[in-house]
């Protein structure tokens, strides 16, 4: 198998707010250069769930000319009842038939999960059977493939201030996805980047599974509330080989003077992949 493999994650496009063609144009350049096998779009594709916003978001994502794994966010459903309950994912499904897509290749198996719940305003949740489904998909996948889970709502707290709560029962969700064999869990929703390996926040016991699971929240690609502090504009690029997983964070640097804005890399973090640590002492 040829390593490394790359996955690009964009989240929270919020299409329908700002329109900035140079952001999209430079992202196409980044995709051409980084050559990801898969592009993940982890929800909040639109700001108001309008059909034209979905069409525009889909047009942009398809223009990247890569396989796509696209899932809904809490902004991708109607705001008001009864449509919120009777036609919850209709607008999303016009562009993307599945709310829980799966992508498989020799090097990647990626499960999209729908964590949006119409009776919750901001929060999200997963059912046990959704997590069990991930376990079955991973069990059937090629040995050694990068096992990725994408959902809109975040498991890990945001590094900066936010009122958004993490996904319901996050310890159960994380435990289930770790047991399913996930190497990487990616989400969005908070518009801030945060990355950690689960053993950075969970103590190990003799019974613990040793394989690394990296949990990542991507910044927002869109900027629906430009004045709000604590909402970053960026994206994540993941690069995996057999033993390690790199997470590269990019931020949008706006134009200065007569120059053009561009995507700039602002962080490069490395985590173990599989059961071996990055290093041992001695
Ligand atoms: Fe969002
Ligand atoms: Fe969201």
């Amino acid at each position: 198998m040829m390593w490394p493999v790359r996955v690009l994650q964009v989240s929270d496009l919020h299409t329908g707010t700002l329109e900035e063609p140079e952001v999209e144009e430079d992202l196409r350049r980044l995709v051409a250069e980084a050559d990801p096998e898969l592009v993940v779009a982890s929800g909040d594709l639109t700001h108001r769930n309008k059909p034209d916003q979905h069409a525009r978001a889909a047009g942009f994502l398809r223009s990247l000319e890569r396989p796509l794994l696209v899932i809904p966010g809490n902004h991708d459903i109607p705001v008001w009842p009864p449509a919120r309950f009777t036609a919850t994912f209709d607008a999303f499904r016009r562009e993307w038939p599945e709310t829980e897509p799966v992508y498989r290749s020799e090097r990647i198996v990626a499960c999209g999960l729908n964590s949006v719940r119409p009776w919750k305003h901001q929060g999200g949740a997963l059912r046990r059977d959704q997590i069990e489904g991930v376990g079955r998909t991973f069990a059937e996948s090629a040995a050694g493939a990068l096992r990725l889970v994408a959902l809109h709502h975040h498991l890990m707290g945001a590094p900066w201030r936010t009122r958004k709560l993490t996904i319901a029962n996050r310890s159960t969700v994380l435990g289930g996805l770790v047991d399913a064999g996930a190497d990487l869990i990616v989400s969005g929703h908070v518009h801030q980047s945060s990355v950690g390996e689960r053993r950075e926040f969970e103590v190990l016991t003799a019974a613990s599974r040793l394989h690394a699971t990296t949990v990542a929240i991507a910044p927002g690609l869109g900027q629906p509330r430009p004045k709000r502090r604590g909402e970053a504009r960026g994206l994540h690029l993941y690069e995996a080989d057999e033993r390690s997983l790199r997470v590269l964070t990019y931020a949008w640097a706006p134009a200065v003077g007569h120059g053009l804005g561009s995507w700039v890399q602002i962080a490069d973090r490395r985590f173990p992949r599989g059961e071996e640590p990055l290093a041992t002492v001695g």
Side-chain angles (χ1 to χ4, degrees), residues 1-183:
M1 232 180 282
M2 292 282 290
W3 299 102
V5 66
R6 294 189 193 88
V7 176
L8 184 93
Q9 182 195 4
V10 293
S11 196
D12 296 83
L13 284 66
H14 286 267
T15 304
T17 49
L18 286 178
E19 269 193 40
E20 292 159 301
E22 58 176 326
V23 172
E24 299 182 1
E25 194 48 47
D26 204 53
L27 185 54
R28 280 187 279 268
R29 270 198 290 277
L30 175 61
V31 167
E33 192 181 294
D35 195 23
E37 180 181 314
L38 176 69
V39 173
V40 174
S42 51
D44 285 358
L45 309 169
T46 70
H47 198 54
R48 295 271 180 241
N49 191 47
K50 305 274 186 243
D52 62 307
Q53 295 176 349
H54 276 287
R56 199 174 129 53
F60 163 63
L61 290 169
R62 292 191 179 112
S63 79
L64 300 174
E65 298 181 327
R66 300 286 146 158
L68 296 166
L69 187 92
V70 180
I71 53 171
N74 54 303
H75 278 259
D76 301 319
I77 65 172
V79 178
W80 304 110
R84 190 171 174 90
F85 297 95
T86 57
T88 313
F89 297 104
D90 286 15
F92 177 89
R93 282 210 181 95
R94 237 171 261 150
E95 299 295 338
W96 315 101
E98 305 283 337
T99 59
E100 302 212 310
V102 173
Y103 173 84
R104 279 176 216 271
S105 72
E106 220 182 312
R107 296 188 298 173
I108 301 172
V109 52
C111 295
L113 293 179
N114 182 358
S115 58
V116 178
R117 299 293 180 263
W119 59 87
K120 286 178 182 265
H121 172 57
Q122 280 277 4
L126 291 180
R127 295 183 314 273
R128 184 199 298 250
D129 64 280
Q130 290 178 284
I131 296 167
E132 287 167 357
V134 171
R136 282 193 298 276
T137 303
F138 285 168
E140 294 159 2
S141 63
L146 177 72
R147 296 168 174 210
L148 187 155
V149 178
L151 69 161
H152 182 63
H153 292 87
H154 55 302
L155 275 66
M156 202 163 47
W160 209 248
R161 189 174 177 167
T162 181
R163 290 203 196 100
K164 293 173 183 169
L165 298 174
T166 49
I167 196 160
N169 302 314
R170 62 174 172 170
S171 296
T172 309
V173 171
L174 177 65
L177 295 175
V178 167
D179 287 346
D183 295 311

Side-chain angles (χ1 to χ4, degrees), residues 180-223:
D183 295 311
L184 175 61
I185 303 167
V186 306
S187 46
H189 187 53
V190 280
H191 298 230
Q192 297 177 33
S193 175
S194 184
V195 189
E197 204 278 305
R198 64 171 175 109
R199 290 167 292 179
E200 294 183 281
F201 45 81
E202 284 203 321
V203 75
L204 289 184
T205 67
S208 296
R209 298 185 64 148
L210 287 174
H211 78 89
T213 300
T214 298
V215 180
I217 314 172
L221 188 75
Q223 203 180 14

